[in-house]
């Protein structure tokens, strides 16, 4: 019944900023929910137990006083969860342990390029179990890989960092084209990471190769949410005797297609397709002028074996030890909903519709036409004096950490549609619909295009 909520809570003095259900333990007996707040606390509620008042973590704000940007249960665990904050810190909690009556004391466990990890010094077990200091500026979002082993973090300093979670080792890095990164997600097979942020772009980064493989330009403002569609079927093979229009034989397997979506502060929803010709370009298209006789050929696009521009320890992102036998996460199929009441996303081009522009948030202007300052974005260091982990744009632009716009394929959106009056903040793909939410407080379900 969409008219009457199952439960309703009103908070005074602090606002809920994020939440997460524990999918691993969810059942008729227990429904564990975490809620993060603008003042830094995290609440644990069990909605299956009606009289449950829940537990409050960081209640006295002794651990962190800044806004909680995201809370997530660790994959396939009953008690452990992570909370990221606007301070740039990430904390590992045990929901069964207390927080302690004094400020925690920490000891350094490990550190690396732009991050440090501390453990809590205490004679008895207490929260937080671990504290990560990642990059500079707020830690905006993080996401676990489908196998639960790797953790991708995006920060206001514009850097994507991917860690091997249990060993706390850095596995790879990528720098935004401009400004902070706001959102991140993994492909269902764990091979690609997509980010969005203040450069108005979506960026596709290959986890195995440690490099940017494509960027998507369709938004006119900051990208707030990105999500892969795990239910997109592979494209059908071409009819017998016909190729795909590129001179291929009919025996070639169908191209691998990933589909993902993005939602932005420009109130637009975009759908993107990642095809084999983008992910594995056979000969790279010649972009530079032809070489004169006797002149050495231009360098090729950086590829998998060793990526120039990365620190030596990161040049092979898959060379770190991978502990075997990690738990595999089973895909959870959502319940089927009736399709009759969904609005529909069409494939029509909506550019003819006049829009309420959000000029204040425009960051890059018109990239695809290569206008003006597209190649020289302003400096976007993460903090004063480029504090911990801030990668100077002047040094990384044109390297594997942040290739120039013409050095990687630029994707065009399959669908680009204005679907809200206020900034879009949430994007989810379910088996038979797409769910969005906006800052106006509206949650909408959309039928899939086609």
């Amino acid at each position: 019944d969409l008219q009457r909520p199952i439960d309703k809570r009103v908070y005074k003095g602090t606002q809920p900023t994020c939440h997460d259900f524990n999918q691993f333990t969810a059942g008729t007996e227990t429904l564990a929910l975490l809620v993060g707040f603008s003042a830094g606390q995290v609440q644990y509620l069990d909605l299956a137990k009606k009289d449950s008042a829940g537990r409050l973590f960081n209640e006295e704000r002794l651990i962190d006083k800044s806004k909680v940007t995201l809370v997530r249960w660790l994959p396939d665990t009953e008690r452990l969860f992570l909370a990221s904050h606007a301070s740039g810190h990430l904390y590992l909690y045990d929901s069964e342990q207390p927080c302690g009556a004094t400020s925690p004391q920490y000891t350094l466990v490990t550190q690396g390029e732009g991050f440090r990890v501390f453990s809590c010094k205490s004679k008895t077990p207490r929260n937080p179990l671990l504290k990560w200091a990642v990059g500079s500026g707020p830690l905006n979002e993080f996401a676990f890989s489908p196998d639960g082993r790797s953790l991708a973090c995006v920060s206001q300093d514009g850097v994507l960092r991917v860690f091997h979670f249990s060993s706390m080792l850095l596995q790879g890095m990528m720098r935004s084209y401009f400004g902070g990164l706001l959102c991140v997600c993994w492909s269902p097979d764990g091979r690609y990471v997509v980010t969005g942020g203040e450069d108005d772009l979506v960026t596709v980064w290959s986890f195995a190769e440690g490099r940017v493989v494509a960027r998507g330009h369709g938004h006119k403002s900051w990208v707030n949410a990105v999500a892969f569609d795990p239910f997109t079927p592979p494209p059908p093979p071409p009819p017998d005797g016909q190729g795909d229009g590129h001179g291929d034989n009919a025996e070639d397997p169908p191209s691998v297609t990933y589909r993902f979506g993005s939602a932005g502060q420009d109130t637009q929803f975009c759908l993107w397709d990642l095809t084999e010709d983008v992910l594995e370009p056979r000969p790279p298209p010649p972009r530079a002028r032809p070489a004169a006789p006797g002149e050495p050929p231009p360098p090729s696009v950086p590829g998998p074996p060793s990526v120039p521009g990365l620190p030596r320890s990161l040049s092979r992102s898959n060379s770190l030890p991978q502990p075997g036998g990690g738990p595999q996460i089973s895909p959870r199929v959502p319940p089927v909903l009736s399709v009759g009441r969904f609005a529909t996303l069409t494939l029509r081009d909506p550019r003819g519709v006049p829009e309420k522009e959000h000029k204040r948030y425009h960051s890059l202007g018109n990239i695809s036409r290569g206008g003006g300052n597209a190649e020289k974005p302003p400096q976007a260091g993460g903090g004063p004096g480029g504090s911990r982990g801030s990668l100077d744009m002047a040094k990384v632009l044109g390297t594997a950490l942040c290739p120039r716009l013409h050095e990687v394929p630029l994707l065009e959106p399959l669908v680009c549609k204005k679907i809200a009056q206020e900034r879009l903040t949430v994007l989810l793909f379910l088996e038979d619909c797409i769910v969005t939410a906006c800052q106006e407080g509206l949650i909408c379900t959309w039928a899939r295009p086609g």
Side-chain angles (χ1 to χ4, degrees):
D1 181 356
L2 293 178
Q3 305 305 315
R4 291 166 52 198
I6 298 166
D7 196 353
K8 179 180 175 181
R9 288 161 195 267
V10 179
Y11 298 95
K12 291 176 181 173
T14 181
Q15 290 85 41
T17 54
C18 50
H19 69 275
D20 191 35
F21 284 100
N22 192 334
Q23 306 282 353
F24 181 65
T25 60
T28 52
E29 301 294 312
T30 180
L31 189 56
L33 172 67
L34 296 169
V35 185
F37 292 91
S38 56
Q41 306 94 334
V42 177
Q43 187 179 28
Y44 170 94
L45 296 167
D46 192 334
L47 299 186
K49 300 175 174 66
K50 285 294 178 190
D51 56 344
S52 164
R55 293 193 285 277
L56 208 52
F57 300 93
N58 192 29
E59 183 174 8
E60 304 296 327
R61 303 169 70 214
L62 298 170
I63 296 168
D64 201 302
K65 291 182 168 60
S66 66
K67 176 180 85 171
V68 182
T69 54
L70 193 71
V71 285
R72 282 284 181 270
W73 291 99
L74 261 62
D76 292 353
T77 59
E78 291 182 27
R79 295 168 40 170
L80 299 177
F81 67 90
L82 281 176
S84 63
H85 287 256
S87 60
H89 293 144
L90 180 70
Y91 300 94
L92 176 66
Y93 285 89
D94 181 338
S95 63
E96 298 294 322
Q97 298 290 352
C99 279
T102 56
S103 293
Q105 302 296 311
Y106 297 105
T107 177
L108 184 67
V109 177
T110 185
Q111 59 184 335
E113 180 97 5
F115 78 98
R116 288 171 294 168
V117 185
F118 305 87
S119 66
C120 193
K121 284 197 290 192
S122 175
K123 288 177 181 162
T124 56
R126 63 168 281 184
N127 283 314
L129 309 180
L130 287 175
K131 167 184 167 180
W132 300 56
V134 181
S136 53
L139 182 55
N140 290 323
E141 197 168 286
F142 60 87
F144 278 97
S145 59
D147 63 7
R149 294 180 185 177
S150 297
L151 180 71
C153 300
V154 289
S155 303
Q156 196 58 37
D157 62 6
V159 182
L160 161 74
R161 294 174 178 86
V162 180
F163 299 97
H164 186 268
F165 186 69
S166 60
S167 65
M168 296 173 280
L169 289 168
L170 188 62
Q171 290 181 292
M173 289 166 73
M174 185 272 290
R175 174 71 161 80
S176 72
Y177 195 75
F178 166 79
L181 288 174
L182 305 177
C183 50
V184 62
C185 67
W186 290 81
S187 64
D189 58 6
R191 292 179 62 186
Y192 299 97
V193 176
V194 168
T195 65
E198 295 176 2
D199 54 9
D200 304 357
L201 300 168
V202 292
T203 302
V204 184
W205 185 79
S206 167
F207 177 55
E209 300 174 17
R211 67 182 182 99
V212 175
V213 292
R215 286 196 179 99
H217 177 235
H219 287 282
K220 300 187 181 74
S221 186
W222 299 356
V223 181
N224 275 348
V226 285
F228 271 87
D229 179 359
F231 306 104
T232 301
D240 289 343
Q242 295 177 23
D244 60 359
H246 297 285
D248 292 343
N249 296 325
E251 285 126 32
D252 284 0
S255 66
V256 180
T257 301
Y258 299 85
R259 178 164 292 173
F260 65 94
S262 57
Q265 298 203 2
D266 56 0
T267 70
Q268 292 201 120
F269 166 78
C270 293
L271 266 181
W272 312 83
D273 269 1
L274 268 180
T275 51
E276 200 175 51
D277 54 337
V278 170
L279 299 174
E280 297 174 9
R282 287 176 182 84
R287 297 229 181 226
R289 61 175 181 78
E295 186 180 327
S300 62
V301 177
S306 74
V307 184
L310 277 173
R312 193 173 303 149
S313 62
L314 296 181
S315 60
R316 287 296 299 276
S317 64
N318 52 357
S319 61
L320 291 171
Q322 295 277 352
Q328 293 299 316
I329 296 172
S330 61
R332 291 180 178 81
V333 180
V336 175
L337 301 169
S338 81
V339 182
R341 61 177 188 272
F342 297 144
T344 308
L345 287 168
T346 59
L347 290 159
R348 284 198 305 276
D349 189 334
R351 284 170 199 150
V353 182
E355 293 181 18
K356 182 172 77 172
E357 295 286 356
H358 293 249
K359 288 199 172 63
R360 190 174 143 220
Y361 297 101
H362 289 194
S363 323
L364 265 191
N366 205 335
I367 301 177
S368 54
R369 296 194 176 84
N373 300 325
E375 267 323 323
K376 290 187 185 138
Q379 297 295 324
S387 57
R388 66 166 197 264
S390 163
L391 296 172
D392 184 9
M393 199 60 192
K395 292 176 185 165
V396 300
L397 184 62
T399 70
L401 282 169
C402 182
R404 295 176 187 275
L405 286 175
H406 62 81
E407 291 174 341
V408 292
L410 201 60
L411 305 175
E412 291 288 325
L414 185 75
V415 169
C416 191
K417 190 176 177 71
K418 177 183 168 69
I419 59 169
Q421 295 303 316
E422 288 294 331
R423 306 174 206 169
L424 291 162
T425 53
V426 175
L427 175 63
L428 290 169
F429 286 92
L430 300 182
E431 193 164 21
D432 60 346
C433 66
I434 301 167
V435 182
T436 62
C438 70
Q439 207 146 310
E440 200 176 1
L442 293 174
I443 301 169
C444 299
T445 49
W446 305 87
R448 292 168 167 278

